[in-house]
Amino acid sequence: SISLYHDNLETDSTASASRKKQAGDYVDAEFSYGLTLNTLDSNYQPTEGIKSSFYQTLPIVTDDGIVTNSYRIAKFQQLTDDMIFSVRFLATAVNSITSDDVRITKRAYLPENRLRGFVPGKVGPKDSGDFIGGNYASALNFNTTLPKLLSDLQDLDFNLFIDAANVWGVDYDSSLDNSKIRSSTGLAVDWHTPIGPLSFSFAVPLSKADTDSTETF
């Protein structure tokens, strides 16, 4: 795919000098592509197989030459007729070929479902109180269905999970880097409704940094 978009960054008086330096208008043209190997028996609620994907975004016309690389793999294994175990891994790298300061809107963040028990976007390095993402992000997720839990409720699926993830790398100031493995465990509920599946998670952080923001539900 080829994308063209306009990015406008504004800061207030509380922003750090490094954030104020990025304020302004940007116009980006990018080329993105992906390669996927998919052996899943179903793309919706798979029980067996692997899905492995690599994605890359390259600059065509840009002010800061940012290149994004991302790799994802998921493995599903059926343990019993109703119990499905899965493991997923994600790795993302965001770097600039022309600058030592990756734009804050381009930096790596963790998807919401990769680190439950933490407030989305509020994990990792901070600059003057602002979460700024990182040059790198990774996550490892373990999940198993619990078919014997409230089995009479046909519209509900229960899952036990363990998440581990990290966001790190501050190219313009290494002293802001806060590299620490964050982890959590909990129970997830998938509710199959007429409008589509809804997911709810109850999570307890196992390890975190002092600056991270956590949440239970």
Side-chain angles (χ1 to χ4, degrees), residues 86-88 110-121 123 138-145 157-166 182-190 198-208 212-217:
S86 66
V87 56
R88 297 184 298 158
L110 288 169
E112 183 175 354
N113 63 348
R114 292 290 188 162
L115 187 60
R116 288 158 287 192
F118 291 77
V119 178
V123 171
S138 63
L140 183 63
N141 309 96
F142 300 93
N143 186 87
T144 183
T145 58
D157 290 332
F158 293 87
N159 304 272
L160 181 65
F161 66 85
I162 297 176
D163 295 341
N166 191 16
R182 284 81 171 174
S183 61
S184 64
T185 186
L187 183 69
V189 181
D190 294 329
L198 301 177
S199 296
F200 305 91
S201 299
F202 301 87
V204 177
L206 300 176
S207 61
K208 65 182 185 69
D212 295 336
S213 296
T214 61
E215 60 183 5
T216 302
F217 177 75

Short mmCIF file of all heavy atoms in Angstrom, two decimals, residues 86-88 110-121 123 138-145 157-166 182-190 198-208 212-217:
data_model
loop_
_atom_site.label_atom_id
_atom_site.label_comp_id
_atom_site.label_asym_id
_atom_site.label_seq_id
_atom_site.Cartn_x
_atom_site.Cartn_y
_atom_site.Cartn_z
N SER A 86 -2.66 -21.17 23.24
CA SER A 86 -2.02 -20.34 22.22
C SER A 86 -0.88 -19.55 22.83
O SER A 86 -0.88 -19.20 24.02
CB SER A 86 -3.03 -19.37 21.59
OG SER A 86 -3.50 -18.43 22.53
N VAL A 87 0.13 -19.28 21.99
CA VAL A 87 1.23 -18.40 22.37
C VAL A 87 1.45 -17.43 21.22
O VAL A 87 1.43 -17.81 20.04
CB VAL A 87 2.52 -19.20 22.68
CG1 VAL A 87 2.92 -20.09 21.50
CG2 VAL A 87 3.65 -18.27 23.07
N ARG A 88 1.61 -16.14 21.54
CA ARG A 88 1.79 -15.10 20.54
C ARG A 88 3.02 -14.26 20.88
O ARG A 88 3.31 -14.01 22.05
CB ARG A 88 0.55 -14.21 20.45
CG ARG A 88 -0.72 -14.91 20.03
CD ARG A 88 -1.87 -13.92 19.88
NE ARG A 88 -2.16 -13.26 21.14
CZ ARG A 88 -2.78 -12.09 21.26
NH1 ARG A 88 -3.16 -11.43 20.18
NH2 ARG A 88 -3.03 -11.58 22.45
N LEU A 110 2.55 -0.39 22.55
CA LEU A 110 1.98 -1.74 22.62
C LEU A 110 0.50 -1.72 22.30
O LEU A 110 -0.24 -0.88 22.83
CB LEU A 110 2.18 -2.33 24.02
CG LEU A 110 3.60 -2.74 24.39
CD1 LEU A 110 3.69 -3.04 25.89
CD2 LEU A 110 4.06 -3.94 23.58
N PRO A 111 0.02 -2.63 21.46
CA PRO A 111 -1.43 -2.76 21.26
C PRO A 111 -2.12 -3.09 22.58
O PRO A 111 -1.54 -3.74 23.47
CB PRO A 111 -1.55 -3.93 20.28
CG PRO A 111 -0.22 -3.98 19.59
CD PRO A 111 0.79 -3.54 20.61
N GLU A 112 -3.35 -2.65 22.72
CA GLU A 112 -4.07 -2.78 23.99
C GLU A 112 -4.18 -4.23 24.46
O GLU A 112 -4.08 -4.51 25.65
CB GLU A 112 -5.47 -2.18 23.83
CG GLU A 112 -6.30 -2.19 25.10
CD GLU A 112 -7.62 -1.48 24.92
OE1 GLU A 112 -7.83 -0.89 23.84
OE2 GLU A 112 -8.44 -1.51 25.85
N ASN A 113 -4.38 -5.17 23.54
CA ASN A 113 -4.59 -6.56 23.95
C ASN A 113 -3.30 -7.32 24.17
O ASN A 113 -3.32 -8.53 24.41
CB ASN A 113 -5.45 -7.29 22.92
CG ASN A 113 -4.77 -7.38 21.55
OD1 ASN A 113 -3.77 -6.72 21.31
ND2 ASN A 113 -5.32 -8.19 20.67
N ARG A 114 -2.14 -6.64 24.09
CA ARG A 114 -0.87 -7.32 24.29
C ARG A 114 -0.34 -7.21 25.72
O ARG A 114 0.59 -7.92 26.10
CB ARG A 114 0.17 -6.76 23.32
CG ARG A 114 -0.09 -7.09 21.87
CD ARG A 114 0.13 -8.57 21.60
NE ARG A 114 0.05 -8.88 20.17
CZ ARG A 114 0.52 -9.98 19.63
NH1 ARG A 114 1.10 -10.88 20.39
NH2 ARG A 114 0.39 -10.20 18.34
N LEU A 115 -0.88 -6.27 26.50
CA LEU A 115 -0.45 -6.11 27.89
C LEU A 115 -1.64 -5.66 28.73
O LEU A 115 -1.81 -4.49 29.03
CB LEU A 115 0.70 -5.10 28.00
CG LEU A 115 1.34 -4.96 29.38
CD1 LEU A 115 1.93 -6.30 29.84
CD2 LEU A 115 2.42 -3.89 29.37
N ARG A 116 -2.47 -6.63 29.06
CA ARG A 116 -3.64 -6.33 29.86
C ARG A 116 -3.24 -6.07 31.32
O ARG A 116 -2.24 -6.61 31.79
CB ARG A 116 -4.64 -7.49 29.75
CG ARG A 116 -5.32 -7.57 28.39
CD ARG A 116 -5.87 -8.92 28.07
NE ARG A 116 -4.81 -9.89 27.77
CZ ARG A 116 -5.04 -11.10 27.24
NH1 ARG A 116 -6.27 -11.47 26.96
NH2 ARG A 116 -4.03 -11.91 26.99
N GLY A 117 -4.02 -5.24 32.01
CA GLY A 117 -3.66 -4.84 33.36
C GLY A 117 -2.90 -3.52 33.40
O GLY A 117 -2.58 -3.02 34.48
N PHE A 118 -2.62 -2.94 32.23
CA PHE A 118 -1.93 -1.66 32.13
C PHE A 118 -2.75 -0.73 31.24
O PHE A 118 -3.38 -1.18 30.28
CB PHE A 118 -0.53 -1.83 31.55
CG PHE A 118 0.44 -2.55 32.45
CD1 PHE A 118 0.38 -3.94 32.58
CD2 PHE A 118 1.39 -1.85 33.18
CE1 PHE A 118 1.26 -4.62 33.40
CE2 PHE A 118 2.28 -2.52 34.00
CZ PHE A 118 2.21 -3.91 34.12
N VAL A 119 -2.71 0.56 31.55
CA VAL A 119 -3.46 1.53 30.74
C VAL A 119 -2.79 1.65 29.37
O VAL A 119 -1.57 1.85 29.28
CB VAL A 119 -3.48 2.91 31.42
CG1 VAL A 119 -4.21 3.93 30.56
CG2 VAL A 119 -4.15 2.80 32.79
N PRO A 120 -3.54 1.48 28.28
CA PRO A 120 -2.94 1.56 26.93
C PRO A 120 -2.21 2.87 26.70
O PRO A 120 -2.70 3.94 27.02
CB PRO A 120 -4.16 1.44 26.01
CG PRO A 120 -5.19 0.70 26.81
CD PRO A 120 -4.98 1.16 28.23
N GLY A 121 -0.99 2.77 26.16
CA GLY A 121 -0.20 3.95 25.85
C GLY A 121 0.52 4.57 27.04
O GLY A 121 1.23 5.56 26.88
N VAL A 123 2.81 3.04 29.23
CA VAL A 123 3.86 2.11 29.65
C VAL A 123 5.14 2.52 28.93
O VAL A 123 5.11 2.87 27.75
CB VAL A 123 3.50 0.66 29.29
CG1 VAL A 123 4.67 -0.27 29.51
CG2 VAL A 123 2.30 0.19 30.09
N SER A 138 8.06 -5.07 22.42
CA SER A 138 7.91 -6.52 22.23
C SER A 138 6.89 -7.03 23.24
O SER A 138 6.68 -6.42 24.31
CB SER A 138 9.24 -7.24 22.40
OG SER A 138 9.74 -7.09 23.72
N ALA A 139 6.26 -8.15 22.90
CA ALA A 139 5.27 -8.74 23.79
C ALA A 139 5.21 -10.25 23.57
O ALA A 139 5.38 -10.73 22.44
CB ALA A 139 3.89 -8.12 23.55
N LEU A 140 4.98 -10.99 24.66
CA LEU A 140 4.81 -12.43 24.63
C LEU A 140 3.55 -12.76 25.41
O LEU A 140 3.41 -12.33 26.56
CB LEU A 140 6.02 -13.13 25.24
CG LEU A 140 6.04 -14.65 25.23
CD1 LEU A 140 6.06 -15.19 23.80
CD2 LEU A 140 7.24 -15.18 26.01
N ASN A 141 2.63 -13.49 24.78
CA ASN A 141 1.32 -13.75 25.38
C ASN A 141 1.00 -15.24 25.37
O ASN A 141 1.12 -15.89 24.34
CB ASN A 141 0.22 -13.00 24.62
CG ASN A 141 0.53 -11.53 24.45
OD1 ASN A 141 1.04 -11.14 23.41
ND2 ASN A 141 0.24 -10.72 25.44
N PHE A 142 0.59 -15.75 26.55
CA PHE A 142 0.15 -17.13 26.69
C PHE A 142 -1.33 -17.12 27.05
O PHE A 142 -1.77 -16.32 27.89
CB PHE A 142 0.94 -17.86 27.78
CG PHE A 142 2.42 -17.92 27.52
CD1 PHE A 142 3.27 -16.96 28.03
CD2 PHE A 142 2.96 -18.94 26.75
CE1 PHE A 142 4.63 -17.01 27.80
CE2 PHE A 142 4.32 -19.01 26.51
CZ PHE A 142 5.16 -18.03 27.03
N ASN A 143 -2.11 -18.01 26.45
CA ASN A 143 -3.54 -18.04 26.68
C ASN A 143 -4.07 -19.46 26.57
O ASN A 143 -3.64 -20.23 25.71
CB ASN A 143 -4.25 -17.16 25.63
CG ASN A 143 -5.73 -17.02 25.90
OD1 ASN A 143 -6.16 -16.15 26.65
ND2 ASN A 143 -6.55 -17.88 25.30
N THR A 144 -4.99 -19.81 27.44
CA THR A 144 -5.67 -21.10 27.33
C THR A 144 -7.14 -20.92 27.65
O THR A 144 -7.50 -20.15 28.56
CB THR A 144 -5.06 -22.16 28.26
OG1 THR A 144 -5.72 -23.41 28.06
CG2 THR A 144 -5.18 -21.76 29.72
N THR A 145 -8.00 -21.57 26.88
CA THR A 145 -9.42 -21.52 27.15
C THR A 145 -9.75 -22.38 28.37
O THR A 145 -9.02 -23.33 28.70
CB THR A 145 -10.23 -22.02 25.94
OG1 THR A 145 -9.82 -23.36 25.63
CG2 THR A 145 -9.98 -21.13 24.74
N ASP A 157 -17.05 -17.38 26.57
CA ASP A 157 -15.83 -18.17 26.58
C ASP A 157 -14.88 -17.55 27.60
O ASP A 157 -14.65 -16.32 27.59
CB ASP A 157 -15.16 -18.18 25.21
CG ASP A 157 -15.95 -18.99 24.20
OD1 ASP A 157 -16.66 -19.92 24.61
OD2 ASP A 157 -15.85 -18.67 22.99
N PHE A 158 -14.29 -18.39 28.47
CA PHE A 158 -13.37 -17.92 29.49
C PHE A 158 -11.94 -18.33 29.13
O PHE A 158 -11.71 -19.45 28.64
CB PHE A 158 -13.75 -18.47 30.85
CG PHE A 158 -15.06 -17.94 31.38
CD1 PHE A 158 -16.26 -18.55 31.04
CD2 PHE A 158 -15.09 -16.83 32.20
CE1 PHE A 158 -17.46 -18.07 31.51
CE2 PHE A 158 -16.30 -16.34 32.68
CZ PHE A 158 -17.48 -16.96 32.34
N ASN A 159 -10.99 -17.42 29.37
CA ASN A 159 -9.60 -17.67 29.04
C ASN A 159 -8.70 -17.25 30.19
O ASN A 159 -8.92 -16.18 30.79
CB ASN A 159 -9.19 -16.89 27.79
CG ASN A 159 -10.07 -17.20 26.59
OD1 ASN A 159 -9.80 -18.12 25.84
ND2 ASN A 159 -11.13 -16.41 26.41
N LEU A 160 -7.70 -18.04 30.48
CA LEU A 160 -6.66 -17.69 31.44
C LEU A 160 -5.44 -17.22 30.67
O LEU A 160 -5.02 -17.89 29.71
CB LEU A 160 -6.31 -18.89 32.31
CG LEU A 160 -5.25 -18.67 33.40
CD1 LEU A 160 -5.76 -17.70 34.45
CD2 LEU A 160 -4.85 -20.00 34.03
N PHE A 161 -4.85 -16.09 31.04
CA PHE A 161 -3.75 -15.53 30.25
C PHE A 161 -2.60 -15.06 31.12
O PHE A 161 -2.77 -14.75 32.31
CB PHE A 161 -4.23 -14.38 29.37
CG PHE A 161 -4.68 -13.16 30.14
CD1 PHE A 161 -3.78 -12.20 30.57
CD2 PHE A 161 -6.04 -12.97 30.43
CE1 PHE A 161 -4.20 -11.08 31.28
CE2 PHE A 161 -6.47 -11.85 31.14
CZ PHE A 161 -5.54 -10.91 31.56
N ILE A 162 -1.43 -15.02 30.51
CA ILE A 162 -0.24 -14.39 31.07
C ILE A 162 0.36 -13.53 29.97
O ILE A 162 0.63 -14.01 28.87
CB ILE A 162 0.79 -15.41 31.56
CG1 ILE A 162 0.23 -16.26 32.70
CG2 ILE A 162 2.07 -14.70 32.04
CD1 ILE A 162 1.18 -17.36 33.16
N ASP A 163 0.57 -12.24 30.24
CA ASP A 163 1.15 -11.31 29.28
C ASP A 163 2.49 -10.80 29.82
O ASP A 163 2.63 -10.54 31.02
CB ASP A 163 0.24 -10.09 29.07
CG ASP A 163 -1.09 -10.46 28.42
OD1 ASP A 163 -1.17 -11.55 27.81
OD2 ASP A 163 -2.03 -9.65 28.52
N ALA A 164 3.46 -10.66 28.93
CA ALA A 164 4.74 -10.04 29.27
C ALA A 164 5.15 -9.14 28.12
O ALA A 164 5.05 -9.55 26.95
CB ALA A 164 5.81 -11.10 29.53
N ALA A 165 5.60 -7.92 28.42
CA ALA A 165 5.90 -6.98 27.34
C ALA A 165 6.86 -5.90 27.83
O ALA A 165 7.10 -5.75 29.03
CB ALA A 165 4.60 -6.34 26.83
N ASN A 166 7.37 -5.16 26.86
CA ASN A 166 8.29 -4.07 27.18
C ASN A 166 8.26 -3.03 26.07
O ASN A 166 8.05 -3.36 24.90
CB ASN A 166 9.71 -4.60 27.36
CG ASN A 166 10.66 -3.57 27.95
OD1 ASN A 166 10.23 -2.56 28.51
ND2 ASN A 166 11.95 -3.81 27.83
N ARG A 182 7.39 -5.80 31.76
CA ARG A 182 6.10 -5.69 32.44
C ARG A 182 5.34 -7.00 32.23
O ARG A 182 5.41 -7.59 31.15
CB ARG A 182 5.26 -4.55 31.88
CG ARG A 182 5.71 -3.16 32.35
CD ARG A 182 6.87 -2.61 31.59
NE ARG A 182 7.10 -1.21 31.94
CZ ARG A 182 8.13 -0.50 31.51
NH1 ARG A 182 9.03 -1.04 30.71
NH2 ARG A 182 8.26 0.76 31.89
N SER A 183 4.60 -7.45 33.22
CA SER A 183 3.86 -8.70 33.08
C SER A 183 2.57 -8.65 33.89
O SER A 183 2.45 -7.87 34.84
CB SER A 183 4.71 -9.90 33.53
OG SER A 183 5.08 -9.78 34.90
N SER A 184 1.63 -9.49 33.49
CA SER A 184 0.34 -9.54 34.18
C SER A 184 -0.30 -10.90 33.94
O SER A 184 0.08 -11.63 33.02
CB SER A 184 -0.59 -8.42 33.69
OG SER A 184 -0.90 -8.61 32.32
N THR A 185 -1.27 -11.23 34.75
CA THR A 185 -2.06 -12.44 34.57
C THR A 185 -3.50 -12.14 34.94
O THR A 185 -3.78 -11.16 35.65
CB THR A 185 -1.52 -13.59 35.44
OG1 THR A 185 -2.21 -14.80 35.13
CG2 THR A 185 -1.70 -13.29 36.92
N GLY A 186 -4.40 -12.96 34.43
CA GLY A 186 -5.80 -12.70 34.74
C GLY A 186 -6.74 -13.59 33.95
O GLY A 186 -6.33 -14.57 33.32
N LEU A 187 -7.99 -13.20 33.99
CA LEU A 187 -9.06 -13.95 33.34
C LEU A 187 -9.72 -13.06 32.30
O LEU A 187 -10.06 -11.92 32.58
CB LEU A 187 -10.10 -14.39 34.38
CG LEU A 187 -11.26 -15.25 33.88
CD1 LEU A 187 -10.76 -16.64 33.47
CD2 LEU A 187 -12.34 -15.37 34.96
N ALA A 188 -9.89 -13.60 31.09
CA ALA A 188 -10.54 -12.87 30.02
C ALA A 188 -11.86 -13.55 29.68
O ALA A 188 -11.97 -14.78 29.73
CB ALA A 188 -9.66 -12.79 28.79
N VAL A 189 -12.86 -12.75 29.33
CA VAL A 189 -14.17 -13.26 28.95
C VAL A 189 -14.52 -12.75 27.56
O VAL A 189 -14.48 -11.54 27.31
CB VAL A 189 -15.26 -12.81 29.96
CG1 VAL A 189 -16.61 -13.37 29.55
CG2 VAL A 189 -14.90 -13.23 31.37
N ASP A 190 -14.81 -13.67 26.66
CA ASP A 190 -15.29 -13.32 25.32
C ASP A 190 -16.79 -13.58 25.26
O ASP A 190 -17.26 -14.71 25.44
CB ASP A 190 -14.59 -14.16 24.25
CG ASP A 190 -13.10 -13.86 24.17
OD1 ASP A 190 -12.73 -12.71 24.44
OD2 ASP A 190 -12.33 -14.78 23.84
N LEU A 198 -17.51 -9.41 22.09
CA LEU A 198 -17.01 -8.40 23.02
C LEU A 198 -16.07 -9.09 24.00
O LEU A 198 -16.34 -10.19 24.46
CB LEU A 198 -18.16 -7.73 23.77
CG LEU A 198 -19.22 -7.03 22.94
CD1 LEU A 198 -20.33 -6.48 23.86
CD2 LEU A 198 -18.62 -5.89 22.13
N SER A 199 -14.95 -8.43 24.31
CA SER A 199 -13.95 -9.03 25.19
C SER A 199 -13.75 -8.17 26.43
O SER A 199 -13.67 -6.93 26.34
CB SER A 199 -12.61 -9.18 24.46
OG SER A 199 -12.73 -10.07 23.38
N PHE A 200 -13.67 -8.84 27.58
CA PHE A 200 -13.43 -8.17 28.86
C PHE A 200 -12.29 -8.90 29.56
O PHE A 200 -12.21 -10.12 29.50
CB PHE A 200 -14.68 -8.20 29.74
CG PHE A 200 -15.91 -7.63 29.08
CD1 PHE A 200 -16.76 -8.45 28.35
CD2 PHE A 200 -16.19 -6.28 29.17
CE1 PHE A 200 -17.90 -7.93 27.75
CE2 PHE A 200 -17.32 -5.75 28.55
CZ PHE A 200 -18.18 -6.58 27.84
N SER A 201 -11.43 -8.15 30.23
CA SER A 201 -10.29 -8.73 30.91
C SER A 201 -10.21 -8.22 32.35
O SER A 201 -10.37 -7.02 32.59
CB SER A 201 -8.98 -8.40 30.18
OG SER A 201 -8.99 -8.93 28.88
N PHE A 202 -9.92 -9.14 33.26
CA PHE A 202 -9.65 -8.81 34.66
C PHE A 202 -8.19 -9.23 34.91
O PHE A 202 -7.87 -10.41 34.89
CB PHE A 202 -10.59 -9.55 35.60
CG PHE A 202 -12.05 -9.25 35.36
CD1 PHE A 202 -12.78 -9.97 34.43
CD2 PHE A 202 -12.68 -8.22 36.04
CE1 PHE A 202 -14.11 -9.71 34.19
CE2 PHE A 202 -14.02 -7.92 35.81
CZ PHE A 202 -14.74 -8.67 34.89
N ALA A 203 -7.32 -8.26 35.13
CA ALA A 203 -5.88 -8.53 35.15
C ALA A 203 -5.23 -7.99 36.41
O ALA A 203 -5.67 -6.99 36.99
CB ALA A 203 -5.20 -7.93 33.92
N VAL A 204 -4.16 -8.67 36.82
CA VAL A 204 -3.36 -8.26 37.97
C VAL A 204 -1.91 -8.14 37.50
O VAL A 204 -1.33 -9.13 37.03
CB VAL A 204 -3.44 -9.27 39.12
CG1 VAL A 204 -2.53 -8.85 40.27
CG2 VAL A 204 -4.87 -9.41 39.60
N PRO A 205 -1.29 -6.96 37.58
CA PRO A 205 0.12 -6.83 37.18
C PRO A 205 1.02 -7.67 38.09
O PRO A 205 0.85 -7.70 39.31
CB PRO A 205 0.40 -5.34 37.36
CG PRO A 205 -0.95 -4.68 37.28
CD PRO A 205 -1.90 -5.66 37.90
N LEU A 206 1.98 -8.36 37.48
CA LEU A 206 2.97 -9.14 38.23
C LEU A 206 4.28 -8.39 38.39
O LEU A 206 4.94 -8.50 39.41
CB LEU A 206 3.22 -10.47 37.52
CG LEU A 206 2.02 -11.39 37.34
CD1 LEU A 206 2.41 -12.63 36.54
CD2 LEU A 206 1.45 -11.80 38.70
N SER A 207 4.65 -7.62 37.38
CA SER A 207 5.84 -6.79 37.44
C SER A 207 5.59 -5.52 36.64
O SER A 207 4.92 -5.55 35.61
CB SER A 207 7.06 -7.53 36.89
OG SER A 207 6.88 -7.87 35.53
N LYS A 208 6.13 -4.40 37.13
CA LYS A 208 5.91 -3.13 36.45
C LYS A 208 6.96 -2.13 36.89
O LYS A 208 7.69 -2.35 37.86
CB LYS A 208 4.52 -2.58 36.78
CG LYS A 208 4.30 -2.19 38.24
CD LYS A 208 2.88 -1.72 38.46
CE LYS A 208 2.67 -1.22 39.89
NZ LYS A 208 3.42 0.05 40.15
N ASP A 212 4.65 3.33 35.38
CA ASP A 212 3.56 2.77 34.58
C ASP A 212 2.20 3.05 35.22
O ASP A 212 2.08 3.14 36.45
CB ASP A 212 3.73 1.25 34.43
CG ASP A 212 4.98 0.89 33.64
OD1 ASP A 212 5.44 1.73 32.85
OD2 ASP A 212 5.47 -0.24 33.81
N SER A 213 1.18 3.13 34.39
CA SER A 213 -0.20 3.27 34.86
C SER A 213 -0.90 1.92 34.67
O SER A 213 -0.90 1.37 33.57
CB SER A 213 -0.94 4.36 34.08
OG SER A 213 -0.35 5.62 34.31
N THR A 214 -1.50 1.42 35.74
CA THR A 214 -2.14 0.10 35.69
C THR A 214 -3.66 0.22 35.83
O THR A 214 -4.19 1.25 36.25
CB THR A 214 -1.61 -0.80 36.81
OG1 THR A 214 -1.91 -0.21 38.09
CG2 THR A 214 -0.10 -0.98 36.69
N GLU A 215 -4.35 -0.85 35.44
CA GLU A 215 -5.79 -0.92 35.60
C GLU A 215 -6.19 -2.38 35.75
O GLU A 215 -5.52 -3.28 35.23
CB GLU A 215 -6.50 -0.29 34.40
CG GLU A 215 -6.19 -0.96 33.07
CD GLU A 215 -6.85 -0.28 31.89
OE1 GLU A 215 -7.49 0.77 32.10
OE2 GLU A 215 -6.73 -0.79 30.76
N THR A 216 -7.26 -2.64 36.49
CA THR A 216 -7.68 -4.02 36.75
C THR A 216 -8.62 -4.53 35.69
O THR A 216 -8.56 -5.70 35.29
CB THR A 216 -8.37 -4.10 38.13
OG1 THR A 216 -7.44 -3.65 39.12
CG2 THR A 216 -8.78 -5.52 38.44
N PHE A 217 -9.54 -3.70 35.18
CA PHE A 217 -10.58 -4.14 34.23
C PHE A 217 -10.34 -3.53 32.88
O PHE A 217 -10.09 -2.34 32.76
CB PHE A 217 -11.95 -3.72 34.76
CG PHE A 217 -13.10 -4.06 33.85
CD1 PHE A 217 -13.55 -5.35 33.72
CD2 PHE A 217 -13.68 -3.07 33.07
CE1 PHE A 217 -14.61 -5.67 32.86
CE2 PHE A 217 -14.74 -3.36 32.22
CZ PHE A 217 -15.19 -4.67 32.11
#
